[in-house]
Amino acid sequence: MPKDGGIGASTKRREDIRFLTGKGRYTDDINLRGQAYAHFVRSEVAHGRIKGIDFAAAEAMEGVVKVFTAADFAGVGGIPCGWQITDKHGKVMLEPKHPVLADGKVRHVGDPICVVVADTYEQARDAAEMIEIDIEELPAVLDMKAAIEPGGTLVHEEIGSNLCFDWGFVEENKAAVDEAFAKAAHVTTLELVNNRLVANPMEPRVAVADFESHSDQYTLYTTSQNPHVIRLLMGAFVLGIPEHKLRVVAPDVGGGFGSKIYHYAEEAFVTFAAKVVKRPVKWTSSRSEAFLSDAQGRDHVTKIELALDAENNFTAIRTDTYANMGAYLSTFAPAIPTWLHGTLMAGNYKTPLIYVNVKAVFTNTIPVDAYRGAGRPEATFQLERLVDKAARELGVDPVALRRQNFITEFPYQTPVAVVYDTGNYHATMDKLLEISDHAGFEARRMESAARGKLRGFGIAHYIEACGIAPSNLVGQLGARAGLYESATVRVNATGSISVYTGSHSHGQGHETSFAQVVAEMIGIDAAQIDIVHGDTSNTPMGMGTYGSRSLAVGGSAIVKATNKIINKAKKIASHLLEAAEGDIELKDGKFTVAGTDKSVDWVGVTLAAYVPHNYPLESLEPGLEETAFYDPSNFTYPSGAYGCEVEVDADTGQVTVLAFSAADDFGNIVNPMIVEGQVQGGLAQGIGQALMENCAYDENGQLLSGSFMDYAMPRATDLPMFNVDHSCVTPCTHNPLGVKGCGEAGAIGSPPAVVNAVIDALIRGGHDVKHIDMPLTPSRVWAAING
Amino acid sequence: MTKVTMTVNGKTVSAMTEGRTLLSSYLREGLGLTGTHIGCDTSQCGACTVHVDGVAVKSCSVFAQDVAGATVTTIEGMANADGSLSVIQQAFQDHHGLQCGYCTPGMVMASAALLASNPSPTEGEVRHYLEGNICRCTGYHNIVKAVLAASGQDVAAVAAE
Ligand code: FES
Ligand code: FES
């Protein structure tokens, strides 16, 4: 095996060459001959009734091809939701219609009302200025608790309530949980907000579609993390296009972080409009438009309680969460505060009884869905803030309280359905204390104090569930999709290999790491292997990339398909070598008869497969190409200990992150360089959530943070160098690579570590502060200090 | 429509423009140089950074007609003459200073301008200089390392991994 090409090597990324030379091909770089440009006219009010739309003047303007309104979409399906939750009374969730263009009512600022299609982008935008929309403004539904009081304004009149569902988990445990609280020696309570965020991948969304009338063939190029999912949702549920007539291509995609999972109205629009106007139609989101139209993240309001016995053992956890759905159900929105949140409430602790209540609420805000971590950051934040608070109330060391309650035996059945296969939480905690020089903290604190600054150290330990997911399980939980992954391995006659994967890379480096896996298995140079992704016309039906699933699920499909290749290649080799198949060994790209020096190399076998002159044709098909679908039998459970060291300026409330250390257990690792990069990026987003980022609406539902001038994105000056370690390894027991997934960990574990650090600094500085809601901006910290 | 001519990546080029045509659209749509990316509409993200007469400029904040006749370098003009990666591009690959690649052209152009004026910057100076370039993927750690490495500094000691 070439040293830098196999599993475990920090192979440099091959995709970098095109990105570093300006040769990347992102969706906005694609222009189709004769394309027209779409410009969306969006609601300027959060809630209102559309009384009339006058677009005659706009349609008469130079270059304008057509103005579309909801009337054009009569007979077209709405944007579907991909997950149905059954509530604690056994009732299915309320599922309002989500039309492609607002029909009768607008329900959030940015809700699309009509679209101008014109020869140029400028003409479309100029014509949009001429459209007159008469809207009767209605009161905006914003506060979640008020929204579900009877008699209030309804976001969707036809469903009769703003309460989408009221989910109890595990409902049968509720009485036992309440009883444990009644008997507790100590109860710690915390009320908190998980602030709404905007994913903001640097590439805004783009969609360009074409329709060929001679073949009835549609092609959609779109910024998606999962082109097959878009093809299925849009083809089957919105536009009624059969899959074989619809090709969806997600070329180079400039980051996603969840926000490019979902099927959006703009994709359906351009695909539909291309047929109507008989020419390709392109839409490119501006950043301002992205703030108004990309699904947003988090936005939970929670009360959580922890019951402890007299020895400080956790005996029960009870939570009460309001989860904001926004104005419509985005593709996976109902799954986030439920199955991706409630099932993680055990964290790393052997709490025997847990009850989670989640009320999902419609409001006149932009829809909310998964954002990096998706439900798991919300669970981790609650739990790790709560445990820290409990330690303070009890006067015990927060590390010791965590250790005392750590799960130490695996597999571990949690009281919230999931079974952790492996982990070693003491090891990650030990590693964190080592790499963060926890022992030296007091000396550093004194040094800060000498400069008049408050220094604090905060710890969080997280668990997450990745590698989603067993299809039969998620089917029972309400998913309207399977969550397997697919791969086709096509070996060419001269031995090079094209791997077609259903996963999608939008920054994760699959083209490099997936090739490392195949190179290792066969023992050939990774340069002979290409990874192909992102086009439904050449990749097998796959579910795409999110939930840190690509290597654990997509990589497993590649392993499975490659094993099929190796098995067949061994049959061919046994024929060529005139030996029993069971005696053939594959090593370093060479097939050898065990115990002899008789061998045939990789190319000898691949050539024989395609030029089958000396070949067992009676028992074996020619060719060397295999497809596999891998459906995981469990989630994977990465875990880790994170430590944040901050300095607080008590005069201004300014928080500076001085150091951040992460000790993760991701199971086995294919490319350490890529893994470290994933963690660093996740940490930046988590620190951003904790200190800076906030998606805010005013009392009328106007988005206050609608650009990079008002929404604080972490910049290079806001962050330290990171101290990232992944040497603690408990391999996953149920996938062939023993991998767990690393994409979201950084964003999950870091917010509570940061907030715990700030609270620690303030308390050590003599300020009795129990909690501050994120983001911990200078004004909020200053206000907390000054009572 | 007015024809605007300038020197881009060493070649004299021209394209038709309106008064409101930004340098970024002149490059992307007029010349097909799509390596220059658009990440915002408020001149905040730096994805569109190019060099105009040797100075790093956010091309979305300049009208094409205002820089007629200028010498412009974009990411497409940064590789060595033989097509191999330049020192700074190579450092970004070596130190994994990019993930999705969308901010990357702007980061490379800004970093090159920094190193031209400050050949051996400190970590703090790199971070300060790149404040106008947003990256959502990397957390900046490896970008900072790449720039320091491109300046010839030993980055092994910059931060433990
Ligand atoms: S596109 Fe120019 S600064 Fe964002
Ligand atoms: S690499 Fe994706 S935004 Fe920087």
Side-chain angles (χ1 to χ4, degrees), chain A residues 12-13 16-17 19-22 26 28-29 122 125-126 198-204 253-255 257 286-288 371 506-507 673-674 676-678 680-681 684-685 693 707-709 711 713-717 719-724, chain B residues 18 20 28-29 34-35 37-42 44-45 75-76 79 85 89-90 92-96 98-105 108 123 127-128 130-142 144-145 158-161:
Chain A
K12 289 180 203 169
R13 298 197 330 166
D16 291 357
I17 306 296
F19 295 147
L20 281 163
T21 53
Y26 299 87
D28 196 38
D29 303 340
E122 287 76 13
R125 215 174 37 170
D126 290 347
V198 181
N200 274 325
M202 290 316 297
E203 177 202 31
V253 171
F257 315 111
S286 67
R287 179 61 58 187
S288 307
Y371 165 60
H506 33 278
M673 176 192 82
I674 289 177
E676 285 159 17
Q678 289 292 309
Q680 291 157 357
Q685 291 182 352
E693 296 181 39
S707 79
F708 287 154
M709 296 200 282
Y711 185 92
M713 294 281 280
R715 291 169 187 267
T717 43
L719 299 165
M721 298 308 273
F722 300 117
N723 196 359
V724 171
Chain B
E18 290 184 58
R20 62 182 167 180
R28 286 183 56 82
E29 278 105 58
T34 54
H37 293 159
I38 305 302
C40 73
D41 47 7
T42 52
Q44 294 274 308
C45 79
I75 189 69
E76 288 90 345
L85 297 182
Q89 289 168 315
Q90 188 62 56
F92 268 73
Q93 188 193 26
D94 290 349
H95 297 279
H96 190 28
L98 63 152
Q99 290 180 24
C100 78
Y102 201 78
C103 73
T104 307
V108 168
E123 182 204 326
R127 287 184 184 275
H128 186 73
L130 295 180
E131 207 179 4
N133 290 71
I134 304 177
C135 174
R136 192 54 151 169
C137 296
T138 64
Y140 305 100
H141 179 111
N142 285 336
V144 173
K145 263 178 90 175
V158 167
E161 295 260 278

Side-chain angles (χ1 to χ4, degrees), chain A residues 405-456:
Chain A
N405 287 283
F406 271 164
I407 295 160
T408 52
E409 278 165 32
F410 297 88
Y412 178 79
Q413 170 70 59
T414 69
V416 276
V418 293
V419 180
Y420 302 161
D421 60 340
T422 53
N424 185 346
Y425 310 145
H426 284 293
T428 38
M429 185 65 94
D430 289 343
K431 180 55 75 177
L432 170 71
L433 298 179
E434 175 200 324
I435 63 174
S436 61
D437 185 22
H438 188 248
F441 171 71
E442 191 50 30
R444 296 192 295 276
R445 191 183 72 78
M446 299 293 283
E447 186 273 325
S448 292
R451 288 185 286 106
K453 297 281 167 55
L454 309 179
R455 200 172 182 117

Side-chain angles (χ1 to χ4, degrees), chain A residues 25-30 201-209 219-230 234 247-268 270-271 282-287 290 293-295 504-506 533-534 545, chain B residues 28 38 100 102:
Chain A
R25 189 166 181 258
Y26 299 87
T27 311
D28 196 38
D29 303 340
I30 295 170
M202 290 316 297
E203 177 202 31
R205 288 189 297 116
V206 182
V208 48
T219 304
L220 168 69
Y221 299 89
T222 184
T223 47
S224 175
Q225 302 176 214
N226 32 239
H228 281 282
V229 174
I230 302 306
M234 188 178 82
R247 173 184 173 208
V248 178
V249 185
D252 286 330
V253 171
F257 315 111
S259 69
K260 293 173 181 169
I261 298 172
Y262 325 118
H263 174 44
Y264 286 99
E266 295 86 356
E267 294 165 323
V270 295
T271 309
K282 182 174 187 177
W283 169 74
T284 301
S285 175
S286 67
R287 179 61 58 187
S293 64
D294 290 5
H504 186 275
S505 188
H506 33 278
H533 62 96
T545 288
Chain B
R28 286 183 56 82
I38 305 302
C100 78
Y102 201 78

Side-chain angles (χ1 to χ4, degrees), chain B residues 50-133:
Chain B
V50 300
H51 296 174
V52 177
D53 295 329
V55 178
V57 164
K58 289 178 174 173
S59 62
C60 74
S61 66
V62 179
F63 292 118
Q65 294 182 1
D66 288 349
V67 290
T71 297
V72 173
T73 308
T74 71
I75 189 69
E76 288 90 345
M78 289 300 282
N80 297 324
D82 65 356
S84 61
L85 297 182
S86 63
V87 169
I88 185 143
Q89 289 168 315
Q90 188 62 56
F92 268 73
Q93 188 193 26
D94 290 349
H95 297 279
H96 190 28
L98 63 152
Q99 290 180 24
C100 78
Y102 201 78
C103 73
T104 307
M107 286 289 179
V108 168
M109 299 312 289
S111 303
L114 165 66
L115 296 182
S117 62
N118 181 356
S120 193
T122 63
E123 182 204 326
E125 285 170 340
V126 174
R127 287 184 184 275
H128 186 73
Y129 193 88
L130 295 180
E131 207 179 4
N133 290 71

